[in-house]
Amino acid sequence: MTQATLVDTNVLLDVLTEDSTWLTWSMNALAAIAEAGPVVINPIIYAEVSIRFSRIEDLEDALPPNEFRRAPLPWEAAFLAGKAFLDYRRNGGPRSSTLPDFFIGAHAAIGGLDLLTRDASRYRTYFPTVRLITPDALP
């Protein structure tokens, strides 16, 4: 059985911007998950990556649908994201932190998806059932 993996925005931006620190790790991690199963993005991730592009056609070329499966955000994930964000705020999380990571984590949790990310601490805290693929877990 193949496992679908949701890809966090930071990993995609590492590759698209050729980040000097993370490019190699992110490219290798993307290749590894693509071998294991479908690579998934959602509208939140798509929107975050879109900031780097002036035309949607260029974004579509960078994230071709045949390589990056588009998955809608489930309503249950939106609910879970709100509850996790509320817990985060109650635990002293700063107001400056935005909601997208909570939508991404909740989508992975509700959808039974693995999550490829470099920013594991918040996901580990608020979405403990999600299997994370992180720099400390993948060479």
Side-chain angles (χ1 to χ4, degrees):
M1 182 171 134
T2 61
Q3 176 60 35
T5 303
L6 190 64
V7 180
D8 199 0
T9 307
N10 55 51
V11 174
L12 295 173
L13 290 177
D14 290 345
V15 174
L16 295 171
T17 64
E18 299 182 2
D19 182 270
S20 60
T21 303
W22 291 105
L23 175 63
T24 300
W25 182 85
S26 293
M27 284 179 51
N28 290 339
L30 275 170
I33 66 165
E35 285 183 29
V39 177
V40 180
I41 60 173
N42 66 26
I44 305 298
I45 296 162
Y46 190 89
E48 288 184 313
V49 172
S50 76
I51 293 169
R52 308 292 287 180
F53 296 87
S54 57
R55 297 175 349 113
I56 194 169
E57 294 83 1
D58 296 333
L59 176 57
E60 286 292 307
D61 287 344
L63 300 175
N66 62 323
E67 293 178 29
F68 295 90
R69 179 185 293 175
R70 273 81 164 132
L73 187 71
W75 288 102
E76 298 85 355
F79 181 83
L80 179 58
K83 295 304 177 194
F85 187 71
L86 180 62
D87 287 346
Y88 167 79
R89 292 289 301 125
R90 286 183 177 155
N91 289 328
R95 288 190 190 273
S96 62
S97 181
T98 58
L99 200 49
D101 285 350
F102 291 91
F103 280 112
I104 293 166
H107 187 177
I110 295 296
L113 303 168
D114 290 348
L115 178 59
L116 174 62
T117 185
R118 285 192 289 100
D119 299 329
S121 64
R122 189 175 299 153
Y123 294 120
R124 280 191 182 114
T125 300
Y126 295 98
F127 305 100
T129 62
V130 174
R131 185 173 91 81
L132 301 176
I133 302 167
T134 62
D136 60 346
L138 184 71

